[in-house]
Amino acid sequence: MSAHHTRPEVPTTPSQTVGPYLHIGLPWPDGPFAVAEGTPGALWLRGTVYDGAGAPVTDALVETWQADPDGRFDHPDDPRGARSLPGFRGFGRCPTDASGSYAILTLKPGPVPGPTGDQAPHVDISVFARGMMHRVVTRLYFPEEEAANAADPVLGSIEDQAARATLVADREEGGYRLDIRLQGERETVFFDI
Amino acid sequence: MSTTSGLHISGYVRDHNTHPPLDYPGYKSTALRHPQRPLTLLPHMLTEITSPVLGQDRLGPHDHDLTRQHEGEPQGQRILVHGQVRDSDGRPVPHTLVEVWQANAAGRYRHTGDNWPAPLDPNFTGVGRVLTDAEGRYRFVTVRPGAYPWKNHRNAWRPAHIHFSLFGRAFTQRLVTQMYFPDDPLFFQDPMWQSVPDEKARERMLARFDYDTTEPEWALAYTWDIVLRGREQTPFESEEEVLEDDE
């Protein structure tokens, strides 16, 4: 592919904060359920969002987007063609609760093709909150995928081992846990996209 | 595009004049909530060029008309808000979910955290959803929201605004923003408005009064177009590899 930079031809609309009242507009009753309860293979992705003082962020919203267990996306821009897994939305959305925690019921994604081989199974995460003028983006990786994680191009681009570890979830009862720290010593790696 | 570790890096240039910084001291709550480490570049691969395809099942029967969600009509000035969603390549964004939430005409949200002494309206929830049509157009019926005080600084008031949330067609296009009304006297002291560095960019958050769409004996109209960032297509070095497992 040729080297080029794309400059937007039509200037974009600025981002603004969700503010303190996001809970009236954004959550859906079924938002946390990318799959229905009882679906074989369903697991919980849970975590707590912390601010720079280590306090839980109770007015945040976490959104997840991921491939299905075969590594496919239900989207026309997947070059293999859109393919939907019935009952699986791929998208989860959960406001944080009074303890700053989120929980999304989903399926473990499969490996996703990348430019030089497969990417390790991963979930893209957006965090919106009062006090943030635009979302921040991070990724969740799975702890048992040691070999795939070691070969993953995105994880591999993060040289600091401690920083890289902020993207790898911990196994826990019923699923996985990934805490998100917006600021501070163990600040989560966030991506510029 | 440049290549790092064998990966093609998207050439998209974030417009720092348009988007507010995450660290904006004028908005006090950013102090403990902005990442302090530089953001890591994330090349756009399949997860980033796709996003949820959300459809009619996300919509309730009166989600497009915030004045008809209760037994009676809400208090306030009835308005139509309409516009087109495009991306920065100029392409309309069809069939995408647009979500809105807002205060009532007195400037109060139906939210347990909002307890300033303005009346709640039993006939107004302040939440709406629509899908854009084939040309990327959307339309809501609602009431004009009021301004409200907050405690960011002395005598702080938010200009009237409607929160908008958009998905676009790619994970990278996700946008939450606010629509403001022309001739609002409160912009001079509002850190949300002022967090956008470029004055021309601020004006892109401003709806335009639209007399032509205004409906006689019924509602004033405002028009507001929203531009999401562009999409980076073809991030693959060799699509053949990807296509191998097709079928």
Side-chain angles (χ1 to χ4, degrees):
Chain A
M1 287 195 287
S2 62
H4 72 281
H5 281 277
T6 309
R7 283 211 177 270
E9 295 191 3
V10 185
T12 51
T13 305
S15 173
Q16 295 271 275
T17 180
V18 291
Y21 306 125
L22 73 159
H23 293 89
I24 75 164
L26 289 174
W28 301 334
D30 66 347
F33 298 92
V35 287
E37 279 182 291
T39 303
L43 54 88
W44 286 100
L45 305 179
R46 300 179 197 269
T48 303
V49 181
Y50 293 102
D51 72 11
V57 178
T58 59
D59 44 13
L61 179 89
V62 170
E63 290 183 350
T64 60
W65 173 241
Q66 61 168 93
D68 72 14
D70 294 326
R72 302 284 293 241
F73 293 94
D74 180 16
H75 191 279
D77 289 343
D78 187 326
R80 300 162 295 179
R83 195 179 68 177
S84 68
L85 186 67
F88 178 66
R89 192 169 56 214
F91 176 71
R93 173 186 250 191
C94 185
T96 56
D97 62 16
S99 66
S101 300
Y102 69 91
I104 286 164
L105 190 72
T106 188
L107 300 174
K108 184 177 171 182
V112 172
T116 56
D118 282 347
Q119 303 178 70
H122 63 272
V123 175
D124 272 15
I125 297 178
S126 300
V127 183
F128 303 82
R130 175 181 68 85
M132 295 171 62
M133 292 306 302
H134 46 81
R135 67 168 173 167
V136 290
V137 169
T138 188
R139 272 187 171 191
L140 178 152
Y141 286 87
F142 295 86
E144 68 277 10
E145 297 285 342
E146 287 169 6
N149 289 347
D152 183 78
V154 175
L155 279 179
S157 72
I158 304 164
E159 287 180 13
D160 178 348
Q161 295 290 329
R164 192 188 303 185
T166 67
L167 303 185
V168 182
D170 293 318
R171 252 216 109 97
E172 65 170 26
E173 175 92 31
Y176 299 86
R177 164 166 295 272
L178 187 77
D179 291 338
I180 296 168
R181 292 180 173 79
L182 298 178
Q183 190 184 84
E185 204 177 324
R186 287 187 292 159
E187 184 175 302
T188 299
V189 169
F190 295 108
F191 294 105
D192 191 2
I193 60 166
Chain B
M1 291 189 183
S2 61
T3 301
T4 303
S5 316
L7 277 175
H8 282 291
I9 307 299
S10 157
Y12 185 85
V13 179
R14 184 183 285 240
D15 183 353
H16 290 286
N17 284 324
T18 292
H19 293 292
L22 280 165
D23 179 12
Y24 188 71
Y27 176 24
K28 282 184 182 169
S29 301
T30 67
L32 290 170
R33 296 184 171 194
H34 69 274
Q36 292 172 315
R37 294 193 182 140
L39 300 179
T40 299
L41 192 61
L42 180 63
H44 300 171
M45 293 180 274
L46 270 181
T47 319
E48 290 73 39
I49 67 165
T50 56
S51 69
V53 179
L54 300 162
Q56 292 288 341
D57 65 322
R58 291 292 108 201
L59 308 180
H62 297 301
D63 281 1
H64 66 289
D65 187 342
L66 287 70
T67 69
R68 299 172 116 199
Q69 296 173 351
H70 297 274
E71 293 238 326
E73 282 221 50
Q75 296 290 317
Q77 173 72 66
R78 196 185 294 114
I79 59 171
L80 312 171
V81 178
H82 70 102
Q84 188 183 30
V85 182
R86 288 176 296 159
D87 67 21
S88 61
D89 302 316
R91 292 175 287 205
V93 183
H95 312 306
T96 191
L97 184 67
V98 180
E99 298 173 290
V100 296
W101 72 103
Q102 65 170 88
N104 68 24
R108 187 158 169 192
Y109 286 86
R110 184 167 289 283
H111 187 286
T112 51
D114 188 356
N115 49 19
W116 86 283
L120 274 173
D121 186 333
N123 290 316
F124 194 67
T125 303
V127 177
R129 299 192 167 96
V130 294
L131 292 180
T132 59
D133 69 11
E135 279 80 47
R137 297 188 186 281
Y138 73 90
R139 180 180 183 273
F140 288 102
V141 183
T142 184
V143 295
R144 183 172 167 139
Y148 58 87
W150 60 312
K151 295 184 168 69
N152 186 71
H153 55 275
R154 188 183 162 274
N155 204 14
W157 293 79
R158 289 301 329 279
H161 62 277
I162 299 176
H163 294 269
F164 272 72
S165 164
L166 299 107
F167 285 87
R169 203 181 145 97
F171 182 79
T172 54
Q173 289 185 299
R174 185 88 176 84
L175 178 71
V176 169
T177 185
Q178 298 178 22
M179 184 199 97
Y180 297 90
F181 292 83
D183 304 322
D184 196 305
L186 292 167
F187 294 135
F188 77 96
Q189 55 81 64
D190 183 53
M192 302 307 169
W193 174 262
Q194 293 181 356
S195 68
V196 173
D198 179 56
E199 195 175 325
K200 286 207 170 88
R202 291 177 194 174
E203 287 168 5
R204 296 200 289 274
M205 300 188 292
L206 212 48
R208 183 169 55 77
F209 174 63
D210 180 14
Y211 183 68
D212 291 342
T213 305
T214 290
E215 295 202 7
E217 313 291 325
W218 195 65
L220 295 176
Y222 291 87
T223 182
W224 190 50
D225 294 340
I226 302 161
V227 180
L228 308 178
R229 55 174 292 174
R231 289 186 277 133
E232 298 301 325
Q233 291 284 23
T234 60
F236 287 96
E237 189 165 29
S238 54
E239 290 199 354
E240 298 78 16
E241 281 179 36
V242 174
L243 292 168
E244 265 176 14
D245 64 359
D246 201 19
E247 293 309 298

